[in-house]
Amino acid sequence: MTLIEVANLKKSFGTNEVLKKISFSMNKNEVVAMIGPSGSGKSTLLRSLINLEQIDGGSISIGNEYLVKDGVYVKPDGIKKVTGRMGMVFQHFNLFPHLTVKQNLEMAPKLLNLQSAQEIENHAKDLLDKVGLTEKAESYPSSLSGGQKQRVAIARALMLNPDILLFDEPTSALDPELTGEVLKVMKDLAEESMTMIVVTHEMGFAREVANRVVFMDGGEIVESNSPEEFFSNPQHDRTKLFLKKNLK
């Protein structure tokens, strides 16, 4: 089942064309690793999917419902409905420093009034257990390591039961020894068939966990293939050069 459909996506910042008629689709339960050099448009594409960036042309649909069609956005209620199916985990965590871990998780569901306070509390407890941070429920973000903050951010993104999780370089702000604990949580989610797009520089994760690797460069999708084919038999010179520089 196709869950994400992107067609001819265009985005410029001034004279800088960041996305050049990007088209791709993604199935439910698929994990896509999106890799490429800095400035290739990966993060802009991700932010466009969840409406943190407005595109200049093209179409985005999630589960057959449009966010934007031929450059024209749907009405605000439609935007809210479509983007509500996605959760996003950012490079720099974006936790609220004045709230406890538990309060960070509970804030959005309480504002949306989707469940009772007890149901929200139970869900937060379950998700903190899932990411191995039950004992940090009453802690503030300032007392957490970077890896713990990112695991809290993942739990927070899961609080609204999204169909899709978007990760924008989730480990790039972490010390190498903390990266593994975050990747483990992401791997566990993949094994539970969570649909995920992961913008990452972690080639090991892309190789081991993703169903498909998408390589972007210069605002274009240069190559897309299974991890096995992508890493063992890259088709394009730009892909080969990138892998030569980034595979150790």
Side-chain angles (χ1 to χ4, degrees):
M1 173 190 167
T2 302
L3 191 56
I4 300 174
E5 191 81 50
V6 172
N8 298 316
L9 214 61
K10 294 190 291 183
K11 174 67 180 178
S12 297
F13 295 109
T15 58
N16 182 20
E17 197 177 5
V18 182
L19 299 177
K20 301 173 182 176
K21 290 194 172 182
I22 293 282
S23 296
F24 80 98
S25 61
M26 183 172 171
N27 293 327
K28 182 177 171 63
N29 306 135
E30 192 176 10
V31 178
V32 169
M34 201 163 278
I35 66 173
S38 296
S40 59
K42 307 181 303 295
S43 294
T44 301
L45 174 56
L46 215 62
R47 292 171 64 85
S48 298
L49 291 177
I50 202 165
N51 200 41
L52 293 176
E53 296 285 358
Q54 292 234 323
I55 63 165
D56 300 323
S59 303
I60 299 170
S61 66
I62 307 294
N64 297 319
E65 293 187 88
Y66 279 100
L67 171 67
V68 53
K69 185 175 183 181
D70 299 327
V72 179
Y73 280 84
V74 299
K75 293 179 180 179
D77 282 354
I79 291 174
K80 186 176 178 182
K81 183 179 180 183
V82 171
T83 57
R85 299 184 66 174
M86 293 175 275
M88 187 155 179
V89 179
F90 299 89
Q91 180 177 345
H92 293 291
F93 327 126
N94 290 13
L95 300 177
F96 294 103
H98 63 291
L99 300 180
T100 65
V101 165
K102 179 171 174 284
Q103 289 168 336
N104 263 281
L105 265 66
E106 293 177 350
M107 188 179 77
K110 284 183 174 177
L111 285 173
L112 293 170
N113 200 27
L114 298 176
Q115 296 174 298
S116 70
Q118 188 61 57
E119 286 172 326
I120 292 169
E121 185 175 345
N122 291 343
H123 194 196
K125 185 178 178 182
D126 289 344
L127 287 174
L128 286 176
D129 182 54
K130 186 186 193 76
V131 300
L133 290 172
T134 301
E135 76 285 357
K136 297 293 185 181
E138 301 303 330
S139 300
Y140 286 89
S142 60
S143 71
L144 304 180
S145 71
Q148 289 171 334
K149 288 176 185 175
Q150 196 59 294
R151 284 187 281 155
V152 171
I154 293 171
R156 182 178 62 178
L158 290 167
M159 278 296 292
L160 296 176
N161 298 313
D163 296 321
I164 303 160
L165 272 186
L166 309 175
F167 292 85
D168 189 9
E169 294 280 11
T171 60
S172 63
L174 302 179
D175 294 331
E177 65 268 21
L178 300 176
T179 295
E181 65 190 54
V182 174
L183 293 178
K184 182 186 181 302
V185 171
M186 294 167 64
K187 187 174 181 180
D188 289 345
L189 288 170
E191 288 173 354
E192 293 169 13
S193 298
M194 171 61 76
T195 306
M196 303 194 294
I197 302 179
V198 184
V199 170
T200 185
H201 61 279
E202 296 288 342
M203 297 298 118
F205 177 87
R207 190 195 294 265
E208 295 164 25
V209 181
N211 305 113
R212 181 155 49 108
V213 181
V214 172
F215 173 61
M216 286 187 67
D217 192 15
E220 300 173 308
I221 291 178
V222 176
E223 191 162 344
S224 176
N225 216 329
S226 68
E228 294 79 15
E229 278 295 308
F230 183 88
F231 287 106
S232 66
N233 189 29
Q235 300 297 302
H236 295 268
D237 289 342
R238 280 193 280 177
T239 313
K240 292 172 185 175
L241 182 61
F242 178 81
L243 290 177
K244 186 177 179 180
K245 288 180 177 177
N246 289 276
L247 286 180
K248 296 173 184 176

